[in-house]
Amino acid sequence: MQALRHPSEPPLTVLEPAAFPEAVRIDNVSFRYRHHHERFTSLKEYAIRRIQGRVRRSDVWALRDVDVAVRQGEVFGIVGANGAGKSTLLRLIAGVLRPTRGRVVVHGWPVSPLLEIGAGFHPDLSGRENVYLNATLLGHTKRDVDERLDSIVDFAELGDVMDEPLRTYSSGMIVRLGFSVATEWEPKVLLVDEVLAVGDEAFQKKCWARIQGFRQQLATVVLVSHQLSYVLATCSRAVWLDRGVVRALGEPNAVVNAYRDAAAG
Amino acid sequence: MQGGTAIPLSSHAVGGTADVYDSSRLPPAYLRELYELVRYRDLVVQLVSRDIRTRYKRSVLGVAWTFLNPLLMMAVLTLVFSRVFRGDIQHYAVYLLSAQLVWIFFAQSTTQAMNSLIWGGALITKIYLPRSVFALSQVGAGLVNLTLALVPLLLISFVSGAPITWALLWLPVPMLLVACFALGVGLVLSTVAISFPDVVEMYQVALTAWYFLTPIIYPVAALPDSMRWLMNLNPAYYLVEAFRAPVYAGLPPEPMTLIAGTVAAVGVLALGWFWFTSAADDLAARA
């Protein structure tokens, strides 16, 4: 997914997001990572230091008082430098992390994370076995997969090799299969972390078309990207995070400009 | 726009009404993990089957190895130890193998529980899934292997003339108890191992010591009186004995053995469950 919209396609008619209900609410959220000052790799070392009273802990606040609401049907961009808390925010929405303070509400659970394509794929298992494993990791039941298996295989264009072990696949084939599973079920909230280049040009077009389809069904997309031009082209709103704090929020042009100015200055 | 589009909502509720996630209204961790585990039950099945398939896919002998492995191991151990305990123990092969199989089940599934959570470490920081699936599926895979290994065990019982009686129907009880105990220990170890990977090695040393402190290759009677009290504190002793009685002696497990084994299994499982689930969110934040 180089872009949610393929450059050659006409731009989507802009939906008026204010009319739609909230899909994701980040309510005054702060998140703290607890770090041991020194990274202990062994229990022995930790125990010795503990006895010596040399265990120090430092807390890192990855997010501070972040207050953001995303409405249904929006494509919401998150920009910021490395370590700004972008991925932490995505992981909070995905339910992987729980806020230290504040509250996260997501309508349209479970979210569909395009963060980990092909989670749990095993090289010795066949393509078909891997589809079942991957889809159940994403929270689907075996019955769900039974119903959708043909459609998944068709989309990935791997009909004739589904019984071969995955280690005989090319990396492009593996990603195609992973993407196909991850997007088979129409999500209400789709999380995208950075650019995912999936297969060749023709397959990328198919991916874009599929994600466009989700948008027409009013799926909400929250994406993190370092490619500002891409954020400008696809997002209806954006937020700029700077060391865990919201610096700008709203219309993508204004947010991206503020971020660029700060980076340049 | 159609605000309440008729998309079928899943029947489970995560902190609020169906299909709404609210971080401030989640049930307590030990309960939520249970709900989620039910929802992800197909994943557990998939992981168990992946484990069994991949274990044998690359070996020439395939599933036959499940049968051969205990047979060969027993042949070696019997050869050595039947001379040590000559005359002390009738049907030594059965005496040994019955306990050995339980021990392997316990040792492997607890070790694998740790390893598979470390393997899943990259995964659980990116997508949500109930983190206990890793330990649970390892114990599940171990249980399947143990069940398969009953075939060669009973074969040897038959050949060596050990009594084969209706008491064998008791076997699922000790097997389930060992599974609970292994899951509890596996969860405790996983909680520690994700922060301190050296626990994996330390545990192997502890396992070896524990193995020799449990009457697996020797009879309890071989222990000096001064060490008998240790057996009362060793949960593995009760669990091994409960499994061994129906196979080796053709008798149901002693009630006291069963009670002690149940207390140990349920206690350790509860401890592991509460500790692991309360720490699981921190695990995801750690990587």
Side-chain angles (χ1 to χ4, degrees):
Chain A
M1 239 164 342
Q2 189 67 26
L4 293 182
R5 182 165 56 80
H6 191 263
S8 66
E9 286 172 25
L12 256 200
T13 42
V14 177
L15 302 160
E16 181 42 69
F20 297 134
E22 263 173 21
V24 177
R25 165 150 213 93
I26 311 290
D27 211 357
N28 252 311
V29 164
S30 299
F31 186 81
R32 177 185 56 202
Y33 285 100
R34 297 216 106 140
H35 282 296
H36 291 297
H37 214 268
E38 305 92 334
R39 266 193 90 86
F40 297 104
T41 49
S42 74
L43 183 61
K44 207 166 57 189
E45 189 190 344
Y46 177 79
I48 292 168
R49 300 248 183 140
R50 181 107 215 181
I51 291 163
Q52 295 172 335
R54 282 168 57 202
V55 176
R56 283 175 297 161
R57 245 195 338 214
S58 66
D59 295 340
V60 177
W61 286 90
L63 294 174
R64 279 174 202 274
D65 305 317
V66 173
D67 211 20
V68 171
V70 182
R71 293 187 178 277
Q72 198 188 339
E74 272 196 285
V75 178
F76 189 83
I78 306 173
V79 300
N82 286 331
K86 304 186 295 293
S87 298
T88 303
L89 191 54
L90 274 194
R91 287 155 76 188
L92 282 161
I93 299 170
V96 171
L97 301 175
R98 287 175 67 178
T100 313
R101 286 208 287 267
R103 177 179 181 203
V104 175
V105 183
V106 180
H107 297 262
W109 188 263
V111 301
S112 174
L114 270 187
L115 311 177
E116 187 77 354
I117 294 283
F121 272 179
H122 194 290
D124 285 345
L125 296 178
S126 72
R128 189 186 317 281
E129 290 166 331
N130 270 302
V131 167
Y132 278 93
L133 183 59
N134 183 225
T136 49
L137 268 167
L138 296 174
H140 302 292
T141 62
K142 183 177 173 296
R143 234 189 38 218
D144 290 341
V145 190
D146 289 339
E147 284 167 8
R148 303 288 197 113
L149 185 65
D150 291 341
S151 157
I152 292 170
V153 175
D154 281 353
F155 188 84
E157 301 167 18
L158 293 170
D160 42 349
V161 292
M162 286 308 280
D163 293 315
E164 305 291 326
L166 203 73
R167 68 184 128 83
T168 63
Y169 287 29
S170 71
S171 59
M173 289 157 85
I174 293 174
V175 181
R176 256 151 60 194
L177 192 59
F179 184 90
S180 180
V181 175
T183 55
E184 174 61 31
W185 288 269
E186 210 159 85
K188 290 192 197 162
V189 178
L190 183 66
L191 305 181
V192 184
D193 196 354
E194 257 322 320
V195 172
L196 297 159
V198 183
D200 56 17
E201 182 76 11
F203 190 73
Q204 282 186 24
K205 272 196 174 171
K206 266 174 77 177
C207 298
W208 290 317
R210 182 169 259 195
I211 290 180
Q212 284 305 36
F214 294 159
R215 293 204 50 208
Q216 266 142 25
Q217 299 298 315
L218 294 182
T220 310
V221 180
V222 180
L223 64 93
V224 162
S225 182
H226 285 292
Q227 296 192 12
L228 299 177
S229 57
Y230 163 48
V231 172
L232 286 173
T234 49
C235 294
S236 53
R237 280 194 318 140
V239 65
W240 166 27
L241 287 178
D242 183 26
R243 276 163 291 174
V245 180
V246 174
R247 289 285 293 270
L249 171 68
E251 201 272 319
N253 262 314
V255 171
V256 168
N257 283 338
Y259 173 50
R260 273 185 179 145
D261 289 350
Chain B
M1 82 123 235
Q2 57 284 48
T5 327
I7 294 165
L9 301 179
S10 42
S11 54
H12 63 278
V14 184
T17 45
D19 109 321
V20 177
Y21 164 81
D22 185 341
S23 68
S24 65
R25 292 174 59 195
L26 294 175
Y30 60 90
L31 265 185
R32 185 185 179 213
E33 186 78 7
L34 210 56
Y35 298 150
E36 294 291 343
L37 216 46
V38 172
R39 187 157 75 90
Y40 278 79
R41 60 190 179 278
D42 287 0
L43 172 60
V44 178
V45 175
Q46 287 298 316
L47 287 174
V48 169
S49 105
R50 176 197 68 174
D51 208 66
I52 293 166
R53 283 169 206 255
T54 55
R55 190 173 297 178
Y56 300 115
K57 242 175 197 176
R58 279 195 168 177
S59 76
V60 189
L61 293 170
V63 183
W65 190 240
T66 321
F67 302 112
L68 274 177
N69 192 25
L71 286 176
L72 291 174
M73 181 181 62
M74 185 218 58
V76 173
L77 287 172
T78 309
L79 215 67
V80 175
F81 287 105
S82 58
R83 310 209 168 250
V84 177
F85 302 112
R86 183 190 291 276
D88 283 4
I89 308 175
Q90 262 195 316
H91 316 307
Y92 181 70
V94 181
Y95 181 87
L96 172 71
L97 188 61
S98 53
Q100 185 79 15
L101 286 176
V102 173
W103 183 264
I104 289 176
F105 166 44
F106 171 73
Q108 269 184 0
S109 53
T110 48
T111 305
Q112 288 295 105
M114 263 188 297
N115 289 333
S116 71
L117 186 70
I118 294 171
W119 167 84
L123 212 59
I124 60 173
T125 62
K126 293 213 176 103
I127 58 178
Y128 174 79
L129 52 133
R131 288 88 177 195
S132 57
V133 291
F134 297 108
L136 188 65
S137 58
Q138 290 303 330
V139 173
L143 205 52
V144 172
N145 281 326
L146 177 59
T147 309
L148 290 175
L150 287 179
V151 176
L153 175 62
L154 294 179
L155 204 71
I156 289 168
S157 285
F158 181 74
V159 170
S160 64
I164 290 181
T165 68
W166 289 108
L168 285 176
L169 295 178
W170 273 91
L171 276 184
V173 178
M175 282 166 72
L176 209 62
L177 288 179
V178 181
C180 289
F181 186 67
L183 181 59
V185 173
L187 287 173
V188 168
L189 290 170
S190 301
T191 317
V192 187
I194 202 107
S195 309
F196 305 110
D198 64 330
V199 168
V200 180
E201 275 90 54
M202 286 160 72
Y203 180 59
Q204 296 313 309
V205 178
L207 264 181
T208 309
W210 197 354
Y211 175 82
F212 286 110
L213 286 172
T214 307
I216 294 168
I217 51 175
Y218 56 85
V220 206
L223 282 176
D225 285 345
S226 59
M227 279 184 74
R228 288 287 179 84
W229 62 273
L230 205 58
M231 288 307 112
N232 296 332
L233 298 177
N234 182 0
Y237 168 61
Y238 301 112
L239 296 170
V240 162
E241 283 301 314
F243 182 86
R244 180 144 60 190
V247 183
Y248 174 67
L251 297 170
E254 299 271 343
M256 276 318 289
T257 308
L258 269 187
I259 291 168
T262 308
V263 169
V266 173
V268 169
L269 179 56
L271 172 78
W273 187 262
F274 281 99
W275 196 23
F276 180 82
T277 54
S278 71
D281 278 338
D282 293 338
L283 302 186
R286 204 172 282 272

